[in-house]
Amino acid sequence: MDSLISASARALATGDVLTALKHVALREDPPALALRGIAMAQLGDLPRARELLRNARRSFGAHEVVARARCELAEAEVALALRELGGNAEPLIAIARVLDARGDHANALQAWLILARRWLLLGRLQEAADALARLEGKPLPAALAAMAGLTAATLALRRMRIGQARTALAHARSAAAGAGIAALRAEVDRALLKLDQPAARCLGNGIDQLLCIDQVQALLESGALIVDACRRGIRIGDCWLSLARRPVLLALARALAEAWPAEVDREVLIMRAFGMRHYDDTLRARLRVEIGRLRRLITVQAHIEATPAGFRLSPRSASAVRVLVPPIEGELAAVIALLADGAAWSSSALGLALGSSQRNVQRALLELEAAGRVHAQGRGRAQRWRAMPLGGFTTILLLPAALPID
């Protein structure tokens, strides 16, 4: 490795992209192409970065295994930044094993970190945790340690482990300061600010209150019966009952919990559960069936009693009943939450992350575009969707998560 390549690599490691480019801008040898690709990725020109990295990988000889694997690793990170989430994890795992076997342990760990971030975007929390576990106890460069801390904090937030998230962010801040990269320090600072922003709303018994993430955790640990519309289930303490695949029962439980300790009219329940403003004997019969199903499902947590006008929820042991809802609601909330990171997403990647069809995602995006909340770039397969982060709100509770919550 000649002196200019070394100088360019050192500049990139400290985030000094322009200095790195000055050293290799006019060179076409494989190491220079690779460094130019990484520099363009840091500048945000991801398509050009990918092209340079691919050219570098093809230019390295077959015997230059580590160099080719590093290029493939950089391409994988570019693909993550482009939110290309298709395919499986095997190529990244293979890259990590090759680099580890050849003594490049730092880049091998970087591969596992990229994989963990990818699993997080797809809502596969256990797989993300398993990938992050590969980094525990290993010596990491400061920049990599900062990114690992940010990823661990996001995972902890998705699991509602706020103490762990704060600890991970504290480690990330210390590592980012050691790395001396301004953009990395700013990213950690933004993550810390989000912990104090409203993350959910608490409803019930006349209450409508915005809660930060710490207050959400306190509510979950309060012993109250909570109908959690963020994670789609019912919770009392450590007892969790998922209603993620039973939206009618979740709607009924929420309506009853919002009105507690009062009753809810049958007409209101029919409208909330079935979306019908006018009801007949058929809908009344269907309501009785669904209430019966809900009653059997939550018999340990609460009792649902019939009244002359409707139904009333009565907790068996909890002293209060509350409803936890996202700060913004509706079918588009999860799309907004994913786009709020400021990255450019394709509709297919959004569909993968949300577990929804691409057609449904496209309809949601068009609706959001008409409302002026997102905008598209490019056309056809190159089209990407972007939105500015939502000011003043933490969207972590809007994101899909593996259920039941672990």
Side-chain angles (χ1 to χ4, degrees), residues 46-364:
L46 299 177
R48 178 58 177 158
R50 169 180 281 171
E51 180 184 351
L52 288 166
L53 289 167
R54 284 178 175 172
N55 289 341
R57 174 168 52 83
R58 292 164 182 157
S59 300
F60 280 116
H63 62 286
E64 297 176 289
V65 177
V66 173
R68 291 170 65 89
R70 287 173 179 172
C71 288
E72 290 172 350
L73 177 62
E75 287 181 61
E77 188 155 20
V78 169
L80 181 69
L82 287 168
R83 297 301 187 257
E84 294 178 355
L85 305 178
N88 57 51
E90 291 305 317
L92 258 177
I93 294 174
I95 291 170
R97 288 172 176 165
V98 167
L99 291 170
D100 198 40
R102 301 286 177 135
D104 191 353
H105 305 301
N107 278 316
L109 294 174
Q110 171 78 350
W112 288 111
L113 180 58
I114 292 171
L115 189 57
R117 292 162 60 196
R118 180 176 179 271
W119 287 141
L120 270 179
L121 289 173
L122 292 172
R124 298 171 65 170
L125 305 189
Q126 187 54 54
E127 288 95 330
D130 293 341
L132 272 178
R134 300 273 185 164
L135 282 70
E136 291 181 5
K138 304 290 178 62
L140 301 175
L144 186 58
M147 286 305 302
L150 280 168
T151 306
T154 304
L155 175 62
L157 285 173
R158 296 287 291 275
R159 288 174 154 179
M160 289 305 299
R161 299 172 183 174
I162 312 307
Q164 291 182 15
R166 289 191 180 277
T167 300
L169 285 175
H171 292 159
R173 170 183 268 182
S174 176
I181 301 175
L184 193 53
R185 291 199 303 270
E187 188 172 354
V188 175
D189 289 341
R190 284 194 299 270
L192 285 166
L193 285 174
K194 287 183 178 181
L195 292 179
D196 298 320
Q197 294 174 345
R201 290 165 57 215
C202 177
L203 309 176
N205 199 21
I207 295 173
D208 187 346
Q209 178 186 5
L210 284 170
L211 305 178
C212 69
I213 201 74
D214 288 306
Q215 292 172 313
V216 172
Q217 185 179 37
L219 177 63
L220 294 176
E221 296 173 352
S222 67
L225 189 155
I226 299 168
V227 177
D228 189 343
C230 300
R231 301 293 180 174
R232 296 173 290 173
I234 297 174
R235 178 189 291 275
I236 297 181
D238 293 331
C239 179
W240 170 256
L241 176 65
S242 175
L243 297 176
R245 293 176 176 83
R246 309 188 78 168
V248 171
L249 299 190
L250 180 62
L252 290 173
R254 175 175 172 176
L256 291 167
E258 286 181 10
W260 179 86
E263 63 182 344
V264 185
D265 290 346
R266 288 177 176 82
E267 185 174 354
V268 173
L269 288 172
I270 287 171
M271 183 180 67
R272 294 283 294 270
F274 310 132
M276 306 293 289
R277 293 188 175 275
H278 304 286
Y279 64 94
D280 54 21
D281 289 341
T282 302
L283 286 174
R284 288 171 66 95
R286 184 181 173 192
L287 176 64
R288 286 196 299 272
V289 170
E290 298 296 345
I291 286 288
R293 288 173 176 163
L294 181 61
R295 183 183 284 127
R296 290 190 296 273
L297 203 60
I298 65 171
T299 185
V300 176
Q301 293 87 359
H303 173 64
I304 301 175
E305 57 182 301
T307 67
F311 295 91
R312 180 187 293 113
L313 180 68
S314 300
R316 296 193 183 278
S317 60
S319 58
V321 177
R322 295 290 183 265
V323 178
L324 193 65
V325 300
I328 50 176
E329 293 193 76
E331 296 180 357
L332 307 178
V335 177
I336 295 170
L338 287 171
L339 292 175
D341 64 0
W345 288 72
S346 65
S347 58
S348 58
L350 286 168
L352 282 171
L354 296 171
S356 180
S357 70
Q358 187 174 357
R359 186 180 296 275
N360 287 340
V361 170
Q362 287 171 340
R363 280 197 289 264

